[in-house]
Amino acid sequence: MSSPKNQNKTKILFIAPYPTGLAPGQRFRYEFYYDLLREKKLQFQTQNLLTVSDYQILYQNGKGVKKLLAITQGLLRRVFLMFRVRKFSHIFLFREAFFFGPPIFEWIIAKVLRKKIIYDFDDAIWMADGTEESTLWRWIKWRSKVASICSWSWKVSAGNEYLAEFAKQYCDQVEILPTVVDTEIHKDQKPKANGQRPKANSQKQTASSKQQTANSKQPTANSQQPVIGWTGSHSTLFYLDMLVPILQELEKDHDFEFLVIANKDPQLPIKNFRFVAWNKETEIEDLSKINIGVMPLEDNEWSKGKCGFKLIQYLSLGIPAIASPVGVNTEIVIHNQTGLIATTPNQWLEALKQLLKQETLRKQMGDSGRKLIQKKYSVASQQEKFLQLFH
């Protein structure tokens, strides 16, 4: 570790697309370490592309003019930022400086201003996200920028081995830094009665969350039913499509509730389906309603870049998980220890039945899962590796 004198010379600029505290990728990749940096007397600032209001507009339907204005304002922020970069010793770049086009800002930082870039990413962002993509959109996104930024970077921080192997083609200093949770915060907040978690509705929900839940017109939850749950964003809701027929078959002879926590209601055709709008203030409490977490994935190159964040969240709260054996999923869900691995529809069906029936097994797997997260996927377990990125 560097001496305090050298540490005081370290001035870090975090460059990221989204507002602080809202985007899961940013929160669980590096924002959790802000307190650690303050404790170590390291100076840092954050510059985000979007404001909170711009971020909210970007993911609403319509409002094309406001979205264009938000992106334009973000572009101007990046332009003005180039005049401030000189005073920083290290630039921590999450994903990309700007959503579209070639990596002009990254080139200026690395080649003109000659700053040390620590480039961090947690998805296979050099390729499409598994959905069909037009030639025009590929050109707009300029996905080849990822390789260029890796080659200009002092160090690369990748979320898993698959991402690291890509980065090693272009950068000599590549570190694997998993996505983490703070296990002092991420712990089951609700006592279980008879092995069950309370109803999904929370008195702490914001008015907007309550309204979105009401608008989904879902049946009232039965607190005696075990809850199968999934959490994610609108961009990953399509992974639930493969589960719908399995859940429909399961509900023929098993009582359960299927809970989705997201920023968009998928309105799934499942008898006891419930949607809860994601809310930062109640996210851990809402997740604690789940008895069995699920993370289905398609087996493709994009999915191999996933860092298993859903699983990390489930297990941190002592919730056993069922997952597709893709990428790091098999490192987090250890079959028959922290959860179950399932590939075929029948395997998914049998795995769900097994955990629905065996409350004791759920408890055992959940306890093992939390211990794994504390050991390998917690802020405490990775903080020294994070600090070493700047030395």
Side-chain angles (χ1 to χ4, degrees), residues 13-84:
L13 176 64
F14 289 88
I15 297 180
Y18 306 115
T20 300
L22 292 182
Q26 295 174 191
R27 292 172 60 209
F28 298 98
R29 291 297 298 165
Y30 65 88
E31 288 177 11
F32 266 146
Y33 296 110
Y34 281 177
D35 286 341
L36 175 66
L37 295 177
R38 294 185 185 102
E39 178 188 325
K40 298 297 182 180
K41 309 298 184 185
L42 294 175
Q43 299 179 52
F44 69 92
Q45 292 182 21
T46 300
Q47 211 281 349
N48 304 312
L49 182 68
L50 300 176
T51 64
V52 173
S53 59
D54 289 344
Y55 177 70
Q56 293 170 342
I57 289 171
L58 202 62
Y59 294 104
Q60 294 177 15
N61 293 327
K63 300 186 177 180
V65 174
K66 289 186 176 181
K67 289 178 181 179
L68 180 60
L69 179 61
I71 294 296
T72 302
Q73 290 174 336
L75 177 60
L76 291 175
R77 288 188 197 100
R78 287 294 187 253
V79 171
F80 289 120
L81 178 64
M82 295 301 103
F83 297 98
R84 297 175 48 223

Side-chain angles (χ1 to χ4, degrees), residues 113-389:
L113 301 176
R114 298 192 176 279
K115 296 298 178 177
K116 293 180 177 178
I117 295 177
I118 299 145
Y119 185 32
D120 183 79
F121 54 95
D122 59 347
D123 272 320
I125 54 176
W126 63 88
M127 65 176 74
D129 63 359
T131 57
E132 287 295 325
E133 189 174 72
S134 67
T135 302
L136 176 61
W137 185 248
R138 285 198 299 272
W139 181 81
I140 291 173
K141 287 297 292 179
W142 208 289
R143 298 194 186 277
S144 62
K145 75 172 72 172
V146 181
S148 298
I149 301 171
C150 284
S151 69
W152 301 334
S153 295
W154 178 53
K155 292 182 180 180
V156 172
S157 168
N160 61 43
E161 181 65 35
Y162 180 81
L163 303 177
E165 287 302 314
F166 173 84
K168 286 176 183 177
Q169 300 176 77
Y170 310 100
C171 180
D172 293 331
Q173 296 193 77
V174 179
E175 299 292 338
I176 298 175
L177 195 72
T179 301
V180 297
V181 294
D182 186 340
T183 50
E184 295 302 310
I185 298 173
H186 280 75
K187 52 188 175 182
D188 196 346
Q189 294 187 348
K190 291 287 188 180
K192 304 177 185 66
N194 299 323
Q196 307 299 332
R197 290 178 171 82
K199 293 166 62 176
N201 283 338
S202 167
Q203 292 182 351
K204 293 184 180 180
Q205 279 183 290
T206 62
S208 61
S209 297
K210 290 179 180 179
Q211 185 61 46
Q212 288 189 51
T213 303
N215 289 344
S216 64
K217 299 181 180 179
Q218 303 305 334
T220 302
N222 181 345
S223 61
Q224 298 306 307
Q225 290 180 329
V227 177
I228 302 169
W230 180 94
T231 184
S233 67
H234 66 283
S235 63
T236 54
L237 284 170
F238 70 92
Y239 286 119
L240 291 175
D241 293 344
M242 66 180 76
L243 270 191
V244 170
I246 297 167
L247 295 170
Q248 289 174 333
E249 180 66 25
L250 185 66
E251 68 185 5
K252 290 179 181 179
D253 50 17
H254 289 77
D255 290 327
F256 65 91
E257 177 182 288
F258 188 63
L259 171 65
V260 169
I261 303 169
N263 58 356
K264 181 180 180 181
D265 185 353
Q267 300 183 344
L268 300 177
I270 298 168
K271 182 170 61 177
N272 287 322
F273 167 70
R274 175 173 290 274
F275 168 71
V276 170
W278 178 84
N279 177 357
K280 181 185 175 182
E281 300 304 317
T282 63
E283 63 175 335
I284 298 174
E285 184 178 334
D286 293 335
L287 283 166
S288 294
K289 313 300 187 296
I290 298 171
N291 295 104
I292 304 166
V294 293
M295 185 175 177
L297 284 179
E298 297 175 352
D299 190 359
N300 56 35
E301 294 302 304
W302 170 262
S303 295
K304 289 176 183 177
K306 291 289 181 183
C307 292
F309 178 57
K310 293 176 180 58
L311 301 179
I312 293 169
Q313 284 186 296
Y314 301 147
L315 270 58
S316 71
L317 300 176
I319 302 167
I322 305 173
S324 303
V326 180
V328 298
N329 281 12
T330 54
E331 298 176 21
I332 302 170
V333 174
I334 302 171
H335 191 62
N336 286 326
Q337 293 185 36
T338 63
L340 299 170
I341 292 296
T343 303
T344 67
N346 187 62
Q347 288 175 348
W348 271 95
L349 184 61
E350 293 305 313
L352 287 165
K353 287 181 178 179
Q354 183 179 356
L355 290 186
L356 282 174
K357 292 176 181 177
Q358 300 185 47
E359 179 184 323
T360 300
L361 181 61
R362 296 202 301 264
K363 178 66 168 59
Q364 291 172 347
M365 288 182 170
D367 289 345
S368 296
R370 179 162 172 82
K371 290 176 182 176
L372 175 70
I373 300 306
Q374 289 173 320
K375 182 179 180 180
K376 294 185 176 181
Y377 299 94
S378 65
V379 172
S381 70
Q382 300 298 321
Q383 61 181 9
E384 287 303 317
K385 184 181 288 188
F386 181 79
L387 286 175
Q388 285 302 317
L389 292 175

